[in-house]
Structures are given as structure tokens and as C-alpha cells.
Amino acid sequence: MLNVNTKKMFPFYQKKKSKQSSRTRKSGGVDLVKKLDRIFSYYIRLRDVMPNGVGKCISCGKIKPYGELDCGHFFGRMNMATRFDEDNCHGECRGCNRASADHLIYYQENLIKKIGVARFSSLRERAHSTKKWEEYELQEMIAKYTKEVKRLSYEKGIKVSI
């Protein structure tokens, strides 16, 4: 049998050693963003469903139950300036949010109908800015949206485990 060292022959196939994420902060800033993502998603979906537990997808207009809605972002989650902006986030069915390539066309039309041209222009300006959230800001938003999720969950009769 031929003894060949494949590591030397094909170095580009080797897995790179993972570096510690550049986004990690000493006291868990990334963990706070993840926690806020989850709570903010609950809030947006609860905000956008009717008291009977169903909501309308902002992109396609289909009526879906709470459990089949996602928190859809018009300007993507990579943009931290608008990631937790209530004008940027709306209930969207999973098909549109995860699979549809043209959902933003309909999203934009319906978003302008929902929030108006002035607020949409302001949102677009915010989307072209940069934002680095401080830990205290993230913690304040977590507290605010946790309180809102509990209130909406109670009002609409939808159980959510925070």
C-alpha cells in the first residue's frame, strides 16, 4: 500500500482551525444579541397576529397561525442599525422568509402601505448607517421586549416560553 501524506498534497482541503469570533465580548455581548433576537422575534410575531392567533404574511398576504410565522426583516439582520427596529420587522410566513427569492418586492410594497412613505424613507436612511450596541442598551431592550411579550401573550392567549 502506498503511504501518502494527504495533508501536504492537499492543504486547501484541510479544515481551518476556528478562531474565536471577533464579535465576542468579554461579558457575553453576543449572547445578549442572541437572547434579544429570540425575544424580539416573539414580540414581532405576537404584535402582528390577531387575537385569534393568526396573522397575515407581509409579503404574500397568506393567513398563517402564530407558529408558522417568522420575524421577517426588510433590511437584513446583518444590519445592526435596523435589526431590532420595529418598522423593519414584520410577521412573515416561513416560505417567504426562508425560501422565496422575490419576497422583498412584495414586502416593500406592503411595508410602504403599512408604515407610509415618510417612515419607510427614514428606515432606509437608518439602514445605511452603522450601529454598535452597548451591553446596557441590549439589556434594556431585552427587559422592554420581555415585558411586551408577556403582555401580548396574555392578551392574545398564546403561550410563549421566554
Side-chain angles (χ1 to χ4, degrees), residues 62-162:
K62 291 180 182 173
I63 304 296
K64 298 283 185 170
Y66 171 82
E68 293 180 22
L69 289 175
D70 280 348
C71 174
H73 295 70
F74 183 73
F75 294 102
R77 289 178 50 200
M78 293 298 289
N79 187 337
M80 292 303 281
T82 55
R83 184 173 186 158
F84 304 113
D85 191 317
E86 292 182 31
D87 282 344
N88 186 46
C89 303
H90 300 277
E92 190 172 32
C93 71
R94 290 180 180 165
C96 291
N97 193 34
R98 299 178 189 183
S100 179
D102 60 348
H103 75 104
L104 288 178
I105 297 167
Y106 306 111
Y107 196 136
Q108 181 175 348
E109 289 175 14
N110 294 326
L111 182 58
I112 291 171
K113 288 178 190 174
K114 187 173 182 177
I115 67 173
V117 175
R119 281 173 58 190
F120 181 77
S121 297
S122 175
L123 176 65
R124 184 175 297 232
E125 286 178 23
R126 288 191 304 273
H128 294 295
S129 64
T130 57
K131 174 70 176 163
K132 183 177 179 182
W133 295 101
E134 297 296 327
E135 279 189 41
Y136 77 91
E137 293 175 304
L138 294 171
Q139 290 169 341
E140 287 175 358
M141 286 193 294
I142 288 169
K144 172 189 172 184
Y145 287 114
T146 299
K147 185 178 176 182
E148 286 296 307
V149 165
K150 288 178 181 177
R151 181 185 65 80
L152 288 171
S153 175
Y154 176 77
E155 285 179 4
K156 298 188 179 188
I158 300 170
K159 291 185 181 181
V160 175
S161 60
I162 297 175

